[in-house]
């Protein structure tokens, strides 16, 4: 089977998160018909393997996810081969799902080529096809890592050919709350200086907390922080009315803002943030800085107001490995395939983050990278499309990588 043929077979099967059964069965069918060991784990992920006898050679794990952003409506693909190049897209009624069926199809094609001898690695190849990456990453969380032999991992889930992303930002959320000791009426009690307005004084904390890029280097942004929302004061009644009126989205927000109570001295306020970092040390440094800001605030307003912070981690940091085996191999493979290699850090989440914080059967930490093998445009939208010439070139990059690895 050819690469594009495999891709089209997968992409026409709708597979929203946690509804990947049909595409999973297709993957099992293709691999099993070729005599390749492939099976489901207890969560519905697929594990495949082609074993070599060279036990001294370090194996390699290839990984992609089966789910897509979208629903279970038909995927009607349109293939254009014209002045703008060879493009596959949909009829604009839904997402295409090249994220990440381009990666999944490339892994299948690589396994088939290894099986038929077109690619002849001297090491064992393992492959994982996961569920639910787009929604909650429960698929990768349920992978049986202690059954995997590989140490190095290629996650084929980047949107640009030649991307080779060696670290990625972890993601946490935190909420700063301020509670004051004395509220009151905005007319009768406004002259009482001990009646501090929480919505007002939380701005002192917000002003001191950094906003935007906090640290960067030659690979890109390392650590950033973003203020997501500020909620304070007498919004309760307005929120209640907005719900009763069945208002949603922007209308609900505007109604609440315009109809919140202005005749009370506010006793509560909240500021909600996201923090992303690919370096744990810098992340911890920034969190400590924020905690110091809060401690100083509490000293200033002791007995009158108190600030607190609640931190919740959503995705662990994917830190750069000191081991450059995959980088060195990628440079050789890119030169061989005529691909422009871009080694970088990325400021978002992927399954690399989970791999980087897990260990294999030999209790060795995985060393993953996020690898781009096609130009995919407008991901997660109804105008999503894939450039097929870049995809074919990207498969050449993957093939060269498999040939150069462990030489």
């Amino acid at each position: 089977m050819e690469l594009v043929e495999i891709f089209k077979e997968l992409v026409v099967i709708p597979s929203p998160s946690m509804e990947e059964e049909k595409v999973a069965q297709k993957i099992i069918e293709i691999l099993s018909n070729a005599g390749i060991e492939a099976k489901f784990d207890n969560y519905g992920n697929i594990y495949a393997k082609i074993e070599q006898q060279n036990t001294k050679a370090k194996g390699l794990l290839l990984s992609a996810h089966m789910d897509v952003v979208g629903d279970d409506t038909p995927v009607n693909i349109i293939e254009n081969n014209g002045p703008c190049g060879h493009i596959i897209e949909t009829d604009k009624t839904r997402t295409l799902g090249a994220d990440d069926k381009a990666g999944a199809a490339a892994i299948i094609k690589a396994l088939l080529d290894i099986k038929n001898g077109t690619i002849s690695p001297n090491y064992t190849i393992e492959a994982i096809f996961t569920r639910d990456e787009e929604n909650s990453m429960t698929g990768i969380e349920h992978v049986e890592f202690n059954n995997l032999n590989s140490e190095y991992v290629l996650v084929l889930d980047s949107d640009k050919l030649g991307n080779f992303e060696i670290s990625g930002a972890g993601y946490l959320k935190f909420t700063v709350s301020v509670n004051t000791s004395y509220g009151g009426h905005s007319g009768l009690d406004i002259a009482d200086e001990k009646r501090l307005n929480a919505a007002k004084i939380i701005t002192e904390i917000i002003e001191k907390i950094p906003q935007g890029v906090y640290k960067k280097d030659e690979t890109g942004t390392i650590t950033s922080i973003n203020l997501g929302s500020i909620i304070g004061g007498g919004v309760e009644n307005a929120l209640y009315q907005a719900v009763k009126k069945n208002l949603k989205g922007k209308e609900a927000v505007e109604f609440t803002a315009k109809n919140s109570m202005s005749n009370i001295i506010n006793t509560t306020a909240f500021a909600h943030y996201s923090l992303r970092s690919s370096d744990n040390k810098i992340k911890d440094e920034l969190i400590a800085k924020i905690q110091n800001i809060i401690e100083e605030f509490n000293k200033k307003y002791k007995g009158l107001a108190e600030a607190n912070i609640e931190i919740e981690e959503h995705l662990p940091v994917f830190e750069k490995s000191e081991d450059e085996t995959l980088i060195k191999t990628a440079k050789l493979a890119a030169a061989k395939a005529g691909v422009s290699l871009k080694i970088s850090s990325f400021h978002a989440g992927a399954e690399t983050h989970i791999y980087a914080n897990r260990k294999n059967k030999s209790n060795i930490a995985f060393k993953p990278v996020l690898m781009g093998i096609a130009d995919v445009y407008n991901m997660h939208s109804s105008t999503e499309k894939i450039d097929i010439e870049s995809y074919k070139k990207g498969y050449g990059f993957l093939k060269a990588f498999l040939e150069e690895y462990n030489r």
Side-chain angles (χ1 to χ4, degrees):
M1 295 179 72
E2 294 302 317
L3 174 68
V4 177
E5 178 188 355
I6 299 168
F7 172 72
K8 289 194 287 188
E9 284 206 22
L10 299 187
V11 86
V12 296
I13 304 172
S15 58
S17 300
M18 300 307 294
E19 295 181 32
E20 305 92 347
E21 293 82 0
K22 290 182 180 179
V23 76
Q25 288 291 351
K26 174 58 69 174
I27 292 171
I28 290 281
E29 175 190 319
I30 294 171
L31 295 178
S32 298
N33 286 345
I36 297 169
E37 177 188 345
K39 60 185 179 181
F40 289 107
D41 66 12
N42 292 330
Y43 197 71
N45 301 308
I46 295 173
Y47 171 74
K49 182 180 182 180
I50 298 180
E51 195 163 7
Q52 301 293 344
Q53 297 303 312
N54 185 357
T55 57
K56 292 183 179 180
K58 289 186 176 182
L60 183 66
L61 174 63
L62 306 178
S63 183
H65 64 88
M66 299 181 287
D67 64 314
V68 304
V69 170
D71 53 26
D72 61 355
T73 56
V75 184
N76 302 311
I77 63 172
I78 296 172
E79 194 165 355
N80 295 312
N81 200 348
C84 295
H86 187 179
I87 298 294
I88 292 179
E89 56 190 341
T90 71
D91 58 359
K92 308 286 193 301
T93 59
R94 58 154 300 139
T95 56
L96 175 64
D99 172 22
D100 184 30
K101 288 176 180 174
I107 292 173
I108 293 169
K109 174 61 173 169
L111 294 173
L112 296 178
D113 282 351
I114 291 168
K115 187 67 177 179
N116 66 30
T118 305
I119 305 173
S120 301
N122 65 343
Y123 53 90
T124 295
I125 288 281
E126 296 177 292
I128 293 285
F129 302 88
T130 59
R131 307 179 68 189
D132 193 33
E133 189 270 353
E134 297 290 4
N135 188 36
S136 300
M137 289 201 185
T138 59
I140 188 68
E141 289 282 6
H142 282 82
V143 166
E144 296 165 4
F145 296 105
N146 58 354
N147 289 330
L148 297 174
N149 293 295
S150 301
E151 176 182 346
Y152 300 100
V153 187
L154 295 184
V155 178
L156 305 184
D157 192 20
S158 183
D159 64 342
K160 289 291 178 287
L161 171 62
N163 277 4
F164 204 75
E165 292 160 316
I166 57 175
S167 64
Y171 177 54
L172 61 82
K173 295 180 181 179
F174 70 88
T175 301
V176 175
S177 61
V178 168
N179 293 278
T180 58
S181 302
Y182 307 99
H185 190 281
S186 65
L188 299 175
D189 301 311
I190 199 69
D192 188 346
E193 293 184 357
K194 73 175 181 293
R195 299 177 189 272
L196 301 176
N197 189 314
K200 166 65 175 177
I201 63 175
I202 196 174
T203 61
E204 295 181 22
I205 297 174
I206 293 169
E207 184 181 9
K208 292 179 181 178
I209 292 177
Q211 166 64 32
V213 175
Y214 180 74
K215 185 77 172 181
K216 63 181 179 179
D217 65 10
E218 68 280 356
T219 66
T221 300
I222 301 300
T223 305
S224 70
I225 184 170
N226 184 64
L227 174 61
S229 64
I230 305 170
I231 299 175
V235 297
E236 295 90 343
N237 290 352
L239 284 171
Y240 174 73
Q241 292 297 326
V243 171
K244 284 193 70 174
K245 292 175 178 289
N246 199 31
L247 299 177
K248 297 178 181 178
K250 185 179 179 181
E251 282 188 341
V253 173
E254 289 183 354
F255 178 88
T256 301
K258 292 176 181 178
N259 293 278
S260 59
M261 297 177 69
S262 60
N263 63 346
I264 62 171
I265 299 172
N266 303 309
T267 57
T268 58
F270 304 89
H272 188 57
Y273 286 85
S274 65
L275 192 159
R276 299 176 187 268
S277 181
S278 56
D279 187 304
N280 274 318
K281 185 177 179 182
I282 299 172
K283 177 198 73 175
D284 293 342
E285 170 194 301
L286 179 52
I287 290 173
K289 183 174 184 176
I290 294 165
Q291 289 171 330
N292 286 336
I293 291 168
I294 289 171
E295 287 175 12
E296 290 300 317
F297 176 92
N298 287 339
K299 288 178 184 176
K300 178 179 178 179
Y301 292 112
K302 186 175 181 180
L304 298 176
E306 183 178 17
N308 290 284
I309 182 171
E310 293 183 16
I311 301 172
E312 181 182 0
E313 184 177 72
H314 282 251
L315 194 65
V317 171
F318 162 32
E319 289 194 284
K320 179 184 176 182
S321 172
E322 296 300 318
D323 186 330
E324 295 200 345
T325 298
L326 295 182
I327 294 175
K328 291 175 181 177
T329 305
K331 288 178 178 179
L332 293 171
K336 186 175 181 180
V339 167
S340 177
L341 189 68
K342 182 183 178 184
I343 298 171
S344 64
S345 174
F346 65 109
H347 212 59
E351 290 180 326
T352 44
H353 295 61
I354 308 301
Y355 280 117
N357 289 276
R358 297 293 191 276
K359 294 182 179 180
N360 67 9
K361 189 174 185 179
S362 301
N363 203 36
I364 298 171
F366 290 103
K367 298 175 179 65
V369 296
L370 196 68
M371 182 173 177
I373 56 164
D375 290 333
V376 180
Y377 301 96
N378 309 322
M379 286 167 58
H380 299 180
S381 77
S382 60
T383 58
E384 181 183 358
K385 60 185 178 181
I386 183 171
D387 181 284
I388 295 301
E389 292 309 314
S390 75
Y391 190 28
K392 290 178 178 177
K393 195 170 186 178
Y395 182 71
F397 178 33
L398 175 61
K399 182 178 176 182
F401 191 101
L402 298 177
E403 290 168 344
E404 293 295 335
Y405 176 78
N406 225 345
R407 275 195 172 183

